[in-house]
């Protein structure tokens, strides 16, 4: 069922992006799906999980722009053996328990603190900040011409001991030691 | 080779080319078929692999909605020119990205179809799901062009064609070379077969090839030729023997005498079979041995060393010869192994193989045909069979020859006896005629003889000349009488009593030459021919004991023959000589030699036969026969030497004079009768009556004559019992109605004591044949001699 919903979401997103259909997915509906997709194109080290069946946690820090969309997107989904859970966190310390941590552009101010807190923790940090080119997050979602592009900081990813699949790397704009 | 048949070379070529062509074609077809079937799979697999790779690379593009990335991914198809179109559809089926850039929407399917690959319009279409972590993100569409494949197939076709063409060419050359290995020996074989059938030459042989089957065919062919050759040579040999047999049988068929038959057979067999030694033996029943009767000409030297020359007697060996004498053909392959005398004898002469074929007629073996060769085991069965058949033929021919000879002998005997009978008949006729003539001559001579004798006795006053003439007349009468007497001897079986006396052959020669002068001197001279006379008389010649007249006649005959033989003149030689026989007996030889035409062998052989003459109508054919008869009667010998153109010598040899014989044969001397008798003379011939009367009355007897038998009987009857009774009766034998026999019967019936003397011209014959009729006391032959008459009267009456 979740699959069908996802399809619908994607479909809606496509309609939205082409602007050819009414009721097209919203920006954050698409970003929610992106977050889910990240769980598939990125590999976490085993120590990121306390148990083999420990949940894969997708966190939204501070402001939640997704509403129901994120929950809808991850509902019932699995990352390997790990059920995917969506959580909203507000405390920086909680960020260490997240595998993916989305940070809305309104929370740019907290980014540095969060990154510091996380240190070399294997957390895929995603932001849609519009400030600066490179602020330490692993993936930045850039809205460009009604499309959402990806910018990946490979240094950050390496620091977080995350392996990003080549597919994703090719589809994204890379920054860091291998990029600009 | 008819039009429909095909040469084996062409057939083999066709076969090899067809085979290799078929193989090639099927190989190529299989290859193409394989390519075709595997092509789809490989194409599909290739496309699928490609699709999966691209799909895997497209996941992020789809997942994060990055069409440009998708395009980049799709552009990887540029590496494969066969991919003519590709497109990515999102999970909703909307076109997300496509390849190449110039693609129109018509080139792509309007809707996403189920996953998988299919062929369509010369293209392969495929839909590959784009999945990430088991979740479908979209669909990849692929379209591959097959024209490249088609091109490849065209290349395949071209290559196949070239390969087939090249292979065919190669196959042609290879098969051309290979077929010759099969066809060449077969053609050679066929050529040999044709040569054999064309020339009937079975000595040719096919050569072996290197092919096993053809070799066995060649061997079989050669074997067949060998068989044919062998049987043909056997046939030829058989034909040769048959023709030899035929030749020999026809040759011996022409011959009727055994030696000639044997020689012909031996010569033919020696030359043509051939053999090293051959001889014929005949069985001698008396001592049960075989006698060599004929040895082949070529075998003579060997026969001499073997001691098997003609007339050699061979004991019959237990083996070999005796088996042969039981009718078996004996073949000894090697006589050295046979421990019997005869085979060993041959072995000593260097002969090794021996065949003894019996000569038998009606299972009676009468001889053997022995043939031998120097080599052991040299006679084949066919040779033996041939010799057996030959000996059967020879036996038959020999038998026939024997029969023929027996028949010839019988025929000769028959002819001789027929001849003798005919001759006797002729002699009888001649004798009868001669008797008649003699009778008449005797009758006619009777008075002459009586008067001459009477005159010489009773007329002392006769002049010396008259007395001499009368003596000549008397001798002539004696000669005539004895000649007449001899005329009848031709048909006599018994030799007449010879009136033997001492004969001086020299005097006899003079007399004969005198008597025959006209024939050897006068008659030839009239023709202008001259016969010279050459007398060589041996004065020491002994007298011989003989009948003077006969010897004179014989010599006369010989002189006349000699004169006849020298019609153109020549020399007549008469030679007498004294000889002494081995026993010491003295012999007198007289030769009559002419230089005339002579006689050939046939004539010389037959000249003594009675009635054989070379003088045609002029000759009687009795001359030399009489001479021969005379010589035999005188215990003499007759030799005749003559050759054509060489003249003739006739030689007579007589035993010399013997006193004792002469004495006993001396004629009794007549004496004058002491009593005067009354004599009745009965004869139908008045001259004889008159002569007898004169002669008897001159002796003092009284005679009464009667001119017929009846008159004589009447006269005797009338006088019987009276003083005028007759003391003696002389009667002729042959008289009309009442002959001398009847007269004698009547007189003896009336007066048995009265002697009856029969006077007859046949008298000599009656005397010698004991044919004196009953009631006749004495027979006197005409012409009666006075001393005989006197002797009869004295013996019968006094």
């Amino acid at each position: 069922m979740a699959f069908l919903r996802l399809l619908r979401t994607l479909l809606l997103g496509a309609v939205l992006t082409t602007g050819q259909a009414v009721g097209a997915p919203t920006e954050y509906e698409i970003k929610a799906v992106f977050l889910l997709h990240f769980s598939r194109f990125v590999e976490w080290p085993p120590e990121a999980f306390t148990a083999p069946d420990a949940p894969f946690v997708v966190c939204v820090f501070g402001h939640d722009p997704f509403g129901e969309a994120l929950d809808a997107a991850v509902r019932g989904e699995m990352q390997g053996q790990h059920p995917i859970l969506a959580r909203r966190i507000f405390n920086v310390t909680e960020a260490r328990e997240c595998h993916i941590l989305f940070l809305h552009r309104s929370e740019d101010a907290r980014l540095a603190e969060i990154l510091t807190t996380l240190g070399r923790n294997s957390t895929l940090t995603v932001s849609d900040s519009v400030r600066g080119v490179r602020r330490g997050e692993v993936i930045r979602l850039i809205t460009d011409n009604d499309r959402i592009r990806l910018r990946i900081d490979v240094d950050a990813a390496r620091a977080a001991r995350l392996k990003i699949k080549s597919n994703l790397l090719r589809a994204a704009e890379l920054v860091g030691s291998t990029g600009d | 080779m008819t039009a429909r048949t095909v040469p084996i070379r062409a057939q083999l070529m066709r076969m090899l080319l067809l085979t290799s062509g078929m193989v090639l074609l099927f190989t190529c077809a299989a290859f193409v078929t394989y390519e075709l079937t595997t092509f789809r799979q490989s194409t599909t697999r290739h496309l699928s692999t490609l699709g999966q790779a691209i799909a895997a690379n497209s996941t992020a593009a789809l997942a994060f909605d990055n069409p440009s990335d998708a395009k980049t991914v799709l552009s990887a198809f540029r590496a494969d020119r066969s991919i003519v179109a590709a497109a990515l559809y999102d999970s909703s089926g909307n076109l997300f990205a496509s390849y190449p850039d110039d693609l129109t929407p018509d080139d792509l399917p309007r809707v996403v179809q189920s996953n998988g690959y299919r062929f369509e319009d010369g293209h392969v279409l495929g839909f590959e799901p784009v999945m990430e972590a088991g979740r479908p993100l979209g669909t990849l569409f692929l379209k591959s062009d097959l024209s490249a494949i088609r091109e490849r197939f065209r290349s395949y076709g071209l290559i196949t064609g070239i390969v087939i063409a090249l292979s065919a060419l190669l196959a042609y050359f290879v098969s051309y070379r290979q077929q010759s290995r099969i066809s060449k020996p077969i053609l050679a074989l066929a050529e040999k077969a044709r040569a054999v059938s064309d020339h009937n030459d079975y000595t040719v042989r096919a050569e072996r090839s290197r092919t096993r089957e053809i070799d066995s065919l060649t061997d079989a062919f050669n074997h067949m030729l060998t068989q044919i050759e062998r049987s043909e040579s056997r046939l030829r040999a058989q034909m040769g023997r048959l023709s030899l047999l035929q030749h020999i049988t026809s040759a011996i068929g022409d011959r009727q005498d055994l030696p000639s038959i044997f020689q012909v057979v031996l010569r033919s067999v020696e030359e043509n079979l051939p053999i090293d030694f051959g001889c014929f033996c005949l069985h001698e029943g008396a001592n049960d041995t075989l006698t060599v009767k004929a040895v082949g000409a070529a075998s003579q030297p060997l026969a001499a060393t073997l001691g098997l020359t003609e007339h050699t007697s061979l004991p019959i060996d237990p083996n070999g010869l005796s088996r042969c004498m039981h009718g078996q053909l004996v073949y000894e392959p090697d006589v050295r192994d046979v421990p019997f005398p005869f085979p060993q004898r041959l072995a000593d002469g260097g002969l090794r193989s021996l065949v003894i074929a019996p000569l038998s007629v009606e299972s009676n073996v009468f001889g053997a045909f022995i043939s031998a060769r120097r080599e052991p085991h040299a006679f084949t069965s066919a040779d033996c069979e041939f010799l057996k058949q030959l000996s059967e033929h020879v036996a038959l021919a020999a038998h026939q020859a024997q029969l023929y000879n027996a028949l010839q002998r019988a025929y000769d005997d028959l002819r001789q006896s027929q001849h003798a009978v005919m001759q006797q008949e002729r002699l009888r006729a001649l004798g009868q005629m001669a008797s008649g003539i003699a009778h008449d001559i005797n009758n006619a001579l009777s008075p002459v003889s009586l008067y001459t004798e009477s005159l010489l006795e009773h007329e002392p006053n006769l002049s010396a000349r008259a007395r001499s003439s009368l003596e000549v007349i008397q001798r002539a009468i004696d000669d005539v009488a004895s000649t007449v007497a001899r005329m009848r001897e031709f048909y006599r079986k018994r030799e007449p009593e010879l009136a033997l006396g001492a004969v001086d052959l020299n005097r006899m020669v003079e007399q004969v030459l005198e008597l025959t002068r006209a024939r050897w001197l006068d008659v030839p001279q009239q023709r202008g021919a001259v016969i010279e006379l050459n007398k060589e008389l041996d004065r020491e010649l002994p007298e011989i004991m003989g009948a003077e007249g006969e010897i004179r006649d014989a010599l006369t005959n010989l002189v006349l023959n000699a004169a006849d033989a020298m019609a153109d003149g020549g020399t007549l030689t008469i030679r007498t000589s004294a000889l002494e026989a081995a026993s010491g007996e003295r012999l007198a030889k007289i030769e009559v030699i002419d230089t005339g035409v002579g006689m050939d062998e046939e004539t010389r052989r037959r000249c003594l036969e009675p009635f054989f003459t070379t003088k045609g109508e002029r000759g009687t054919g009795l001359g030399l026969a009489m001479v021969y008869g005379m010589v035999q009667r005188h215990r003499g010998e007759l030799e005749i030497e003559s050759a054509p153109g060489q003249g003739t010598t006739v030689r007579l040899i007589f035993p010399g004079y013997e006193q004792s014989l002469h004495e006993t044969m001396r004629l009794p001397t007549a004496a004058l009768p002491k009593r005067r008798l009354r004599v009745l003379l009965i004869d139908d011939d008045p001259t004889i009556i008159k002569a007898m009367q004169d002669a008897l009355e001159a002796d003092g007897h009284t005679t009464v004559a009667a001119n017929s038998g009846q008159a004589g009987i009447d006269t005797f009857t009338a006088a019987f019992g009276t003083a005028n009774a007759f003391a003696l009766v002389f009667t002729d034998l042959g008289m009309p109605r009442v002959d001398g026999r009847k007269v004698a019967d009547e007189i003896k019936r009336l007066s048995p004591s009265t002697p009856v003397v029969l006077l007859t011209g046949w008298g000599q014959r009656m005397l010698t044949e004991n044919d004196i009729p009953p009631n006749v006391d004495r027979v006197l032959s005409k012409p009666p001699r006075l001393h005989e008459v006197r002797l009869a009267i004295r013996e019968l009456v006094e």
Side-chain angles (χ1 to χ4, degrees):
Chain A
M1 293 305 282
F3 178 65
L4 286 175
R5 277 198 302 275
L6 174 70
L7 274 179
R8 198 184 309 129
T9 314
L10 281 172
L11 187 63
L12 286 172
V15 172
L16 174 78
T17 52
T18 54
Q20 289 176 334
V22 291
T26 63
E27 181 189 349
Y28 281 94
E29 280 174 341
I30 291 172
K31 285 181 179 173
V33 171
F34 273 31
L35 289 182
L36 178 66
H37 282 178
F38 287 149
S39 72
R40 297 194 172 121
F41 288 91
V42 177
E43 284 181 24
W44 277 262
E47 58 270 25
F49 298 96
T50 55
D53 55 350
F56 183 87
V57 184
V58 181
C59 301
V60 179
F61 187 86
H63 174 68
D64 180 12
F66 296 106
E68 286 295 313
L70 184 62
D71 293 310
V74 303
R75 191 173 298 134
E77 295 292 336
M78 300 283 284
Q79 199 272 356
Q81 298 294 313
H82 310 284
I84 301 175
L85 293 178
R87 282 174 66 182
R88 277 105 187 139
I89 58 170
F90 299 98
N91 194 339
V92 175
T93 56
E94 283 176 296
R96 293 181 66 92
E97 292 161 24
C98 297
H99 295 95
I100 296 173
L101 175 67
F102 181 74
L103 203 73
H104 188 251
R105 65 179 71 96
S106 58
E107 298 288 347
D108 277 349
R110 306 283 305 270
L111 181 58
E113 185 196 349
I114 288 169
L115 287 174
T116 305
T117 307
L118 286 175
R120 289 183 59 85
N121 195 45
S122 295
T123 300
L124 178 68
T125 49
V126 180
S127 83
D128 60 352
S129 166
V130 292
R131 291 200 318 178
V133 177
R134 189 181 177 195
R135 293 188 64 204
E137 73 277 34
V138 179
I139 296 173
R140 182 179 291 192
L141 303 177
I142 301 161
T143 302
D144 176 21
N145 204 11
D146 288 343
R147 268 193 182 277
I148 296 165
R149 294 193 291 113
L150 306 179
R151 179 184 291 155
I152 297 176
D153 184 340
V154 291
D155 293 336
R158 195 175 298 121
R161 289 177 286 127
L162 294 173
K163 287 182 181 170
I164 299 169
K165 286 186 181 174
S166 59
N167 288 4
L168 181 58
L169 291 173
R170 198 179 53 237
E173 176 193 348
L174 303 182
V175 293
S177 58
T178 56
D180 47 351
Chain B
M1 198 182 292
T2 64
R4 274 178 299 154
T5 58
V6 182
I8 182 166
R9 200 176 316 175
Q11 279 192 358
L12 278 169
M13 286 284 292
R14 192 181 297 172
M15 197 169 75
L16 287 167
L17 284 178
L18 268 175
T19 312
S20 55
M22 291 293 273
V23 167
L24 264 177
L25 211 65
F26 276 113
T27 309
C28 289
F31 175 65
V32 170
T33 310
Y34 174 76
E35 276 294 313
L36 270 174
T37 48
T38 56
F39 160 73
R40 287 181 178 233
Q41 292 174 1
S42 65
T43 307
T44 308
R45 203 178 306 120
H46 170 71
L47 213 55
S48 163
T49 309
L50 202 60
Q52 280 172 6
I54 298 298
N57 279 334
S58 309
T59 46
L62 275 171
F64 301 104
D65 189 28
N66 189 341
S68 69
D69 180 42
K71 262 188 185 306
T72 309
V73 169
L74 287 180
S75 68
F77 285 126
R78 208 172 284 133
D80 191 341
R81 291 210 340 243
S82 68
I83 305 297
V84 292
L88 274 171
Y89 298 85
D90 62 18
S91 56
S92 312
N94 298 314
L95 185 67
F96 182 67
S98 67
Y99 163 86
D101 293 335
D102 53 354
L103 205 64
T104 62
D106 292 337
D107 293 330
L108 296 172
R110 291 178 200 291
V111 290
V112 173
Q113 293 165 11
S114 57
N115 295 333
Y117 296 85
R118 63 178 183 279
F119 290 83
E120 204 177 276
D121 298 333
H123 295 85
V124 188
L125 307 179
F127 291 90
E128 190 71 38
V130 182
M131 310 272 281
E132 184 56 52
R135 307 211 173 258
L137 297 176
T139 302
L140 174 65
F141 167 73
L142 286 172
K143 184 176 185 181
S144 174
D145 191 0
L146 288 176
S147 62
I149 302 304
R150 263 193 237 108
E151 220 163 278
R152 208 166 87 190
F153 272 100
R154 258 198 299 279
S155 315
Y156 281 165
L158 192 65
I159 290 165
T160 305
I162 290 168
V163 164
I164 285 180
L166 284 174
S167 311
L169 207 62
L170 197 65
Y172 178 81
F173 284 115
V174 170
S175 61
Y176 185 81
R177 287 181 61 83
Q178 293 298 311
Q179 61 83 21
S180 72
R181 293 175 62 174
I182 296 171
S183 66
K184 230 162 92 180
I186 289 178
L187 289 175
L189 207 58
E191 190 57 39
K192 293 288 182 196
R194 195 175 309 125
V196 167
S197 67
D198 282 357
H199 307 297
N200 287 330
D201 178 9
Y202 299 105
T203 58
V204 297
R205 290 289 179 275
E207 285 166 21
R208 285 171 67 96
S209 67
R210 277 175 300 172
T211 313
R212 191 190 307 151
E213 286 80 1
I214 292 177
D215 272 359
S216 46
L217 182 64
T218 306
D219 289 346
F221 180 75
N222 285 341
H223 183 64
M224 184 184 76
L225 282 179
T226 309
Q227 295 278 43
I228 290 175
E229 190 186 4
R230 201 173 301 154
S231 55
E232 205 199 38
S233 71
R234 270 205 297 267
L235 204 62
R236 273 185 206 286
Q238 201 63 30
M239 291 287 284
R241 287 196 199 92
L242 266 182
S243 84
L244 181 59
L245 191 63
Q246 201 248 341
H247 169 76
I248 293 174
T249 36
S250 71
I252 61 180
D254 297 339
R255 287 164 175 76
Q256 298 295 357
D257 59 315
L258 272 179
S260 155
I261 287 172
F262 288 163
Q263 280 305 332
V264 162
V265 171
L266 285 169
R267 198 179 56 232
S268 297
V269 174
E270 276 176 350
E271 286 173 6
N272 297 319
L273 195 55
I275 57 173
D276 296 316
F277 175 77
C279 72
F280 278 99
C281 301
L282 289 185
H283 185 238
E284 301 287 340
N287 44 9
D288 199 34
T289 56
L290 280 173
T291 302
V292 179
K293 285 295 180 187
V295 178
S299 309
Q300 295 284 5
L302 195 54
T305 59
L306 289 173
L308 281 175
T309 49
E310 285 176 22
H311 312 303
T312 307
S313 200
L314 295 173
I316 293 176
D317 285 354
N319 193 25
L321 293 176
S322 85
R323 264 198 290 148
C324 178
M325 295 319 288
H326 285 99
Q328 292 179 22
L329 180 118
V330 177
Y331 173 43
E332 296 298 351
D334 194 342
V335 288
R336 286 188 184 174
D337 303 340
V338 186
F340 293 101
F342 181 66
Q344 284 304 316
R345 198 167 175 179
L346 295 182
D348 292 344
L351 295 168
R352 297 295 294 277
S353 44
L354 165 71
V355 173
I356 311 175
L359 302 177
S360 64
V361 171
E362 289 160 359
S363 68
N364 175 28
V365 180
F366 65 89
F369 175 26
I370 297 169
S371 38
R373 286 176 172 161
R374 294 184 199 280
E375 295 78 32
H377 303 277
F379 289 93
T380 62
S381 298
D383 286 337
C384 291
E385 185 61 29
F386 170 77
L387 290 170
K388 186 161 171 248
Q389 288 188 357
L390 181 62
S391 61
E392 282 167 10
H393 280 280
V394 172
L396 267 178
H399 183 59
Q400 262 180 334
Q402 282 172 340
L403 287 180
Y404 175 83
N405 288 335
L407 199 66
Q408 188 66 42
R409 265 199 305 281
Y411 173 74
D412 286 346
D413 288 351
L414 191 66
R415 203 175 58 169
Q416 219 154 23
S417 44
Q418 187 192 25
H419 192 73
V421 168
M422 266 173 61
Q423 196 171 321
Q424 219 144 30
E425 278 306 308
R426 288 173 74 176
L427 283 173
R428 183 183 296 280
L430 196 68
Q432 281 174 350
M433 189 184 72
S435 290
I437 294 168
H439 179 262
D440 290 349
I441 291 174
N442 284 340
N443 277 354
L445 281 178
S446 294
V448 182
S449 172
L450 286 171
Y451 282 126
T452 306
E453 218 171 338
S454 187
L455 278 174
L456 282 172
E457 199 169 307
H458 297 291
E459 299 294 333
N461 301 329
L462 282 174
S463 65
R465 189 170 161 207
R467 188 165 291 274
S468 166
S469 299
L470 280 173
E471 280 169 358
V472 170
I473 290 171
Q474 193 176 35
R475 198 164 63 229
I477 289 166
D478 284 350
D479 280 354
V480 169
S482 98
T483 300
V484 167
R486 273 202 314 281
M487 278 168 69
R488 295 178 306 212
E489 286 166 12
F490 288 121
Y491 83 104
R492 271 166 211 259
K493 285 180 182 170
R494 275 201 333 216
E495 295 300 320
E497 299 285 328
L498 285 176
L500 298 178
V503 177
D504 178 359
L505 285 175
N506 286 343
R507 190 170 58 86
M508 191 69 69
V509 167
E510 300 285 4
Q511 286 180 2
V512 166
L513 288 175
E514 196 60 30
L515 277 169
T516 56
R517 175 180 296 274
R519 286 291 299 280
W520 57 263
L521 186 64
D522 302 340
V523 175
Q525 271 182 353
Q526 285 169 15
R527 293 198 308 265
V530 175
I531 294 175
E532 286 182 23
L533 182 64
N534 178 23
K535 274 193 295 185
E536 299 173 14
L537 303 180
D538 184 355
R539 292 297 150 203
E540 300 298 314
L541 192 71
E543 285 190 318
I544 66 162
M545 197 63 198
E548 199 172 309
E550 281 198 14
I551 294 171
R552 193 187 296 121
D553 282 351
L555 281 177
T556 304
N557 244 311
L558 294 179
V559 170
L560 295 183
N561 277 350
D564 284 343
M566 296 185 288
D568 299 328
T571 304
L572 172 64
T573 303
I574 299 189
R575 184 188 297 141
T576 59
S577 48
L579 299 175
E580 192 162 324
S583 60
E585 189 187 10
R586 297 194 71 202
L587 302 174
K589 181 172 80 172
I590 177 164
E591 290 169 301
V592 179
I593 304 164
D594 66 61
T595 57
V597 294
M599 290 182 278
D600 59 25
E601 179 61 26
E602 167 80 2
T603 310
R604 196 194 65 72
R605 199 160 49 77
R606 295 189 60 194
C607 66
L608 297 180
E609 286 181 22
F611 304 107
F612 176 81
T613 180
T614 56
K615 299 176 185 174
E617 293 297 317
R618 291 191 298 114
T620 60
L622 288 171
L624 279 174
M626 280 174 64
V627 172
Y628 184 57
M630 180 276 290
V631 171
Q632 282 191 320
R633 282 193 289 277
H634 286 78
R635 298 189 290 120
E637 286 174 25
L638 171 70
E639 292 174 9
I640 298 176
E641 289 174 8
S642 186
Q646 305 283 313
T648 302
T649 299
V650 180
R651 189 174 300 123
L652 307 178
I653 301 171
F654 298 100
Y657 170 80
E658 287 176 36
Q659 186 63 41
S660 56
L661 185 66
H662 184 68
E663 286 301 313
T664 54
M665 294 302 287
R666 188 170 286 265
L667 294 170
T669 49
L672 283 172
K674 292 169 182 170
R675 284 175 57 186
R676 297 177 191 280
L677 300 171
R678 188 175 167 78
V679 179
L680 175 61
L681 297 172
I682 306 168
D683 203 314
D684 56 347
D685 189 338
T687 58
I688 291 176
I689 294 275
K690 183 72 175 68
M692 283 293 285
Q693 275 183 320
D694 288 348
L696 289 175
E697 281 171 8
D699 279 357
H701 300 297
T702 307
T703 60
V704 174
N707 62 356
S708 75
Q710 192 54 52
I713 292 166
D714 291 347
T715 306
F716 185 83
T717 308
F720 184 68
T722 68
N724 291 332
F726 294 100
L728 186 66
V729 177
F730 281 90
T731 178
D732 186 19
L733 175 61
M735 287 178 294
R737 290 189 291 280
V738 180
D739 66 7
R741 290 188 186 84
K742 276 192 176 162
V743 171
D745 292 346
E746 284 300 315
I747 286 168
K748 284 290 179 184
R749 196 168 53 78
L750 203 63
S751 168
S753 62
T754 306
V756 177
V757 178
L758 201 60
L759 266 176
T760 174
W762 325 95
Q764 194 74 22
R765 182 178 144 207
M766 284 184 170
L767 276 172
T768 54
E769 291 181 359
N770 289 331
D771 198 20
I772 299 170
N775 303 322
V776 171
D777 296 292
R778 177 67 56 93
V779 176
L780 289 180
S781 59
K782 287 178 180 175
R785 309 287 170 84
L786 198 54
H787 65 264
E788 286 178 353
V789 174
R790 282 175 185 158
L791 189 65
I793 291 170
R794 199 176 63 199
E795 284 178 2
L796 292 172
V797 182
E798 295 170 7

